[in-house]
Amino acid sequence: YNIDKISKMIEDLENYDQIFKRVKFSNMISKDIVHIRVDMPYPISDRDYIVQYITNKKDREASYKFKAVQNTTIPVDDNCIRLVNAAGEWYLKMVNETSTKVVYTWNGELLGDFPDWALTRAWDKQGNEMLEWLEESLEELYKD
């Protein structure tokens, strides 16, 4: 897909629940700050985080960095663990007019009652899922 189509989807913060399957909701707090809740499989508690996105676009590449911000106006849900150090980046680089390299990195601190033995697996799974769901959403939106 071309970089503009992918950028448009990543910039659509308030509709992440329509793009990424584990996202329960993504509520915009301000123009660049969003509150996101992620559905974790049983018996793990859901996670949520409040992050600010910093967008940097050039001719053939784009970066969407996100980092946790403290926001006391949104209470912590007792059934959810707040990821106070959430951070990551979507990095896009145009290969040609119809192809884009997409890299997704994220801070793998899951907090709460999460077994140490499962961390590496969760880190890999989460990153791969995000890329797979982005591709699936692009395919659905731009099918011929």
Side-chain angles (χ1 to χ4, degrees):
Y1 294 93
N2 85 19
I3 195 168
D4 294 330
K5 289 179 179 177
I6 299 170
S7 290
K8 184 177 180 181
M9 192 159 281
I10 291 172
E11 291 171 11
D12 192 9
L13 298 172
E14 62 191 332
N15 288 306
Y16 270 20
D17 60 327
Q18 302 299 310
I19 300 167
F20 304 106
K21 294 179 182 175
R22 281 197 199 282
V23 174
K24 280 188 168 180
F25 65 75
S26 54
N27 296 328
M28 297 302 298
I29 297 170
S30 69
K31 182 181 125 189
D32 60 348
I33 297 177
V34 62
H35 176 215
I36 298 174
R37 181 164 176 165
V38 180
D39 182 20
M40 299 297 284
Y42 179 82
I44 307 299
S45 298
D46 286 356
R47 289 349 192 221
D48 78 337
Y49 50 93
I50 303 166
V51 291
Q52 179 176 25
Y53 274 78
I54 299 167
T55 302
N56 186 8
K57 289 184 171 181
K58 298 178 185 171
D59 280 343
R60 300 175 61 87
E61 58 188 68
S63 167
Y64 302 91
K65 293 182 181 179
F66 56 93
K67 186 174 182 183
V69 294
Q70 302 305 314
N71 185 310
T72 57
T73 64
I74 298 174
V76 176
D77 184 321
D78 289 340
N79 298 314
C80 191
I81 294 172
R82 174 84 31 100
L83 301 179
V84 295
N85 296 313
E89 177 182 17
W90 288 99
Y91 175 76
L92 313 178
K93 184 171 185 171
M94 184 168 51
V95 175
N96 58 44
E97 292 300 321
T98 60
S99 182
T100 304
K101 178 181 179 179
V102 179
V103 177
Y104 176 70
T105 57
W106 66 289
N107 176 3
E109 180 183 50
L110 294 173
L111 299 174
D113 189 18
F114 201 91
D116 290 343
W117 60 267
L119 284 174
T120 302
R121 182 174 173 204
W123 295 332
D124 288 342
K125 186 173 178 67
Q126 172 72 21
N128 288 330
E129 283 178 342
M130 294 296 284
L131 291 168
E132 289 167 11
W133 294 330
L134 176 65
E135 184 174 18
E136 288 172 8
S137 294
L138 285 161
E139 287 172 357
E140 181 64 26
L141 186 63
Y142 295 109
K143 62 184 167 189
D144 297 330

